[in-house]
Amino acid sequence: MPTLYIVATPIGNLEDMTFRAVRTLKEVALIASEDTRTTRRLLTHFDIKTPLTSYFEHNKRTKLDYLLSMLEHGDVALVSEAGMPAISDPGYELVVAAYERGFTVTPIPGASAFISALAVSGLPTDACHYLGYMPRKASDRRRLLGSVAAERVTLAVYEAPHRLKNTLHDIMEVLGNRQIAVCRELTKLHEEIFRGTVEEAITRFPEARGEITMIIGGLTEPAAVDASGVEVRLGELKKAGVTAREAVERLSFETGLSRRQLYSAWLKLE
């Protein structure tokens, strides 16, 4: 029985292509690609001459029967523009249909942006909730973020560079000033991995370019708060010349207390 291969391709650096992926793409009868222009460059680089056909978001349903008919006669490989197909990319429907027809479906693992970002984020990796691409509308983004606000596991999302600033503000508003890793252009020439708080990320990225993956810390249990201790800490920060805003943000993150509570305590110092 022929096999549908789900083949991971590099997310930037061509050296991340595996030997097995190259061999598989050379041996299958057909390659279905999300972006044929990107894939042709990849095939040329590795001297792969296998026939290529398009399979992307807007033709995936009309192309389904054709790909299944091709599987009747030989192996087919599915690739996305970059990374692992069917993960926030076309492929899910084809995988399900292939199983229903009795074909074998085999993964050829490799690069994945959110897995790579998670590994270098410095945030807990024992559990992760992958949310995929963030919604374009602010109201939908806030609704999605609100639905996971109480989760204690690490969150992983993709975002377009031109929406990064607004999305960071939505994260700040809905989730609070959590720890975050903003990973830009992973494996590429201008790779950047920023680690800090959401507030710091807003300052760091007034604008951005390239592919963006964000890893966001889950909800943490607030530490037991001693009211007198908070007042002492606020007083120390004030004497050190820290502004009210900076002091409130810092202690809000450290204690889990709301900014309103801390600002009221700051005013009492005066």
Side-chain angles (χ1 to χ4, degrees):
M1 178 67 69
T3 297
L4 171 65
Y5 290 98
I6 308 302
V7 183
T9 55
I11 58 176
N13 193 320
L14 290 180
E15 292 181 2
D16 292 334
M17 189 73 168
T18 69
F19 292 114
R20 187 182 179 204
V22 172
R23 176 177 59 79
T24 299
L25 294 182
K26 287 183 176 181
E27 293 178 352
V28 296
L30 179 69
I31 299 170
S33 164
E34 180 188 14
D35 187 324
T36 55
R37 292 170 299 178
T38 300
T39 302
R40 284 189 194 282
R41 289 194 291 271
L42 181 74
L43 300 187
T44 299
H45 182 84
F46 291 102
D47 194 29
I48 299 170
K49 304 184 186 302
T50 305
L52 185 65
T53 189
S54 66
Y55 180 78
F56 56 94
E57 185 64 30
H58 300 296
N59 78 349
K60 63 185 182 182
R61 296 190 184 280
T62 58
K63 210 65 177 284
L64 197 59
D65 288 339
Y66 169 72
L67 293 177
L68 292 172
S69 68
M70 293 301 293
L71 271 169
E72 296 284 353
H73 305 289
D75 296 337
V76 173
L78 174 66
V79 299
S80 62
E81 183 177 4
M84 195 69 183
I87 306 298
S88 291
D89 281 324
Y92 166 75
E93 293 86 355
L94 178 58
V95 168
V96 172
Y99 276 131
E100 290 176 347
R101 296 284 186 94
F103 296 113
T104 300
V105 180
T106 297
I108 308 296
S112 169
F114 97 83
I115 292 295
S116 301
L118 179 63
V120 300
S121 68
L123 290 166
T125 59
D126 54 327
C128 174
H129 188 162
Y130 170 64
L131 299 173
Y133 284 98
M134 294 297 283
R136 296 185 178 187
K137 292 183 178 180
S139 58
D140 293 336
R141 282 198 304 270
R142 295 188 189 115
R143 189 177 301 112
L144 174 61
L145 291 168
S147 71
V148 296
E151 294 192 10
R152 300 191 181 279
V153 300
T154 302
L155 308 173
V157 304
Y158 291 144
E159 186 53 286
H162 62 279
R163 287 195 295 270
L164 177 60
K165 181 179 179 181
N166 290 337
T167 296
L168 285 170
H169 279 284
D170 290 338
I171 292 171
M172 183 72 174
E173 179 180 329
V174 178
L175 301 183
N177 195 25
R178 298 187 183 186
Q179 291 292 312
I180 191 171
V182 180
C183 303
R184 189 179 68 83
E185 293 286 84
L186 284 174
T187 80
K188 299 177 184 178
L189 180 62
H190 299 292
E191 176 182 274
E192 179 180 9
I193 299 169
F194 170 85
R195 296 179 62 250
T197 64
V198 176
E199 184 178 39
E200 291 168 339
I202 290 172
T203 301
R204 174 64 187 82
F205 296 100
E207 59 181 24
R209 294 181 180 180
E211 302 293 329
I212 305 291
T213 306
M214 287 188 287
I215 308 298
I216 309 164
L219 179 67
T220 56
E221 191 72 47
V225 179
D226 175 19
S228 62
V230 169
E231 291 178 1
V232 170
R233 180 70 175 130
L234 284 171
E236 292 173 346
L237 292 172
K238 186 175 183 180
K239 288 179 181 178
V242 176
T243 66
R245 179 180 177 183
E246 291 172 340
V248 166
E249 288 293 345
R250 188 180 304 181
L251 283 188
S252 178
F253 179 73
E254 291 176 2
T255 66
L257 292 173
S258 71
R259 289 190 287 269
R260 180 176 297 178
Q261 288 175 287
L262 290 167
Y263 188 65
S264 294
W266 176 277
L267 292 177
K268 290 178 182 179
L269 296 176
E270 299 177 351

